[in-house]
Amino acid sequence: MKDELFLRGEKVPMTKEAVRALALAKLELHRASHLIDIGAGTGSVSIEAALQFPSLHITAIERNPAALRLLDENRQHFACANIDILPGEAPMMMTEKADAVFMGGSGGHLTELIDWSMRQLHVGGRLVMTFILQENLNTALAHLQQLGVEEVDCLQMQISSLTTLGVGHYFKPNNPVFVIACQKEERHV
């Protein structure tokens, strides 16, 4: 989905189109029944997942009041009744395990959120995280190794968009984004 389709607000983060497409593919939602979106922001990941997989139950967690309003507006705008919005900050008490967890931000609690996410996942469930900070990438990789997660898929995306400059064109670069994907195995229980 194009980024322009989403209702946007000042200082409410949104996972951009190319990163969202890769993250959704890495979540393997075709075999999932429940997705948890930590720090949902505008809801772009939740909404695109909901539209692609109408039978998927999505729990979007968000702590920012402005983002919560925007998330609800986007949910209504796209008529995504399969998204439940949970105001608050993860980690939080959840009654239903998930098949996939997406983390677009950590609020300074990265290792705690990785541990919580792994507890929320069924065996075989997927955890996908995106970062722009090198420190978060390093922390996440080290923590996953400490947890004994052997197969970690880690990519760096560098996207540039064709932009007009005077009478010509150039590719305007976006910040690089790191994408980590892994799976909960039996030994992580």
Side-chain angles (χ1 to χ4, degrees):
M1 291 176 61
K2 296 282 184 199
D3 291 341
E4 297 78 29
L5 296 175
F6 293 95
L7 304 172
R8 300 290 303 273
E10 283 186 42
K11 299 187 182 194
V12 175
M14 182 173 94
T15 302
K16 302 296 188 288
E17 178 182 354
V19 176
R20 197 168 54 246
L22 178 61
L24 288 169
K26 295 292 183 186
L27 285 165
E28 299 180 8
L29 296 175
H30 61 281
R31 57 186 189 89
S33 61
H34 182 209
L35 165 67
I36 297 173
D37 182 358
I38 301 171
T42 61
S44 65
V45 171
S46 291
I47 288 163
E48 191 157 349
L51 293 174
Q52 285 182 22
F53 302 95
S55 63
L56 181 67
H57 172 229
I58 300 158
T59 303
I61 300 171
E62 180 55 56
R63 66 182 178 182
N64 178 327
L68 282 165
R69 285 189 295 278
L70 196 54
L71 173 58
D72 189 45
E73 288 173 16
N74 273 313
R75 178 180 62 173
Q76 291 176 40
H77 178 74
F78 289 100
C80 294
N82 53 336
I83 298 174
D84 290 328
I85 298 172
L86 279 183
E89 187 171 351
M92 62 174 39
M93 181 60 109
M94 300 283 293
T95 57
E96 182 185 354
K97 293 254 186 197
D99 306 295
V101 174
F102 174 74
M103 185 189 322
S106 64
H109 306 284
L110 182 55
T111 57
E112 188 179 359
L113 286 173
I114 291 172
D115 291 343
W116 179 81
S117 296
M118 293 301 260
R119 287 192 305 272
Q120 298 311 308
L121 286 170
H122 292 290
V123 172
R126 306 280 297 165
L127 170 60
V128 174
M129 302 172 278
T130 60
F131 309 106
I132 59 171
L133 296 178
Q134 181 77 44
E135 291 81 4
N136 284 345
L137 172 70
N138 295 338
T139 298
L141 289 173
H143 195 66
L144 290 170
Q145 183 178 23
Q146 182 182 0
L147 292 176
V149 179
E150 293 173 9
E151 292 188 37
V152 176
D153 186 5
C154 183
L155 301 167
Q156 177 187 0
M157 295 181 68
Q158 176 64 60
I159 305 294
S160 300
S161 303
L162 187 65
T163 304
T164 302
L165 180 63
V167 295
H169 297 85
Y170 77 108
F171 279 90
K172 181 178 181 180
N174 292 327
N175 289 328
V177 176
F178 306 105
V179 180
I180 295 178
C182 62
Q183 184 166 304
K184 180 176 180 175
E185 301 296 340
E186 195 73 47
R187 65 185 173 277
H188 303 130
V189 175

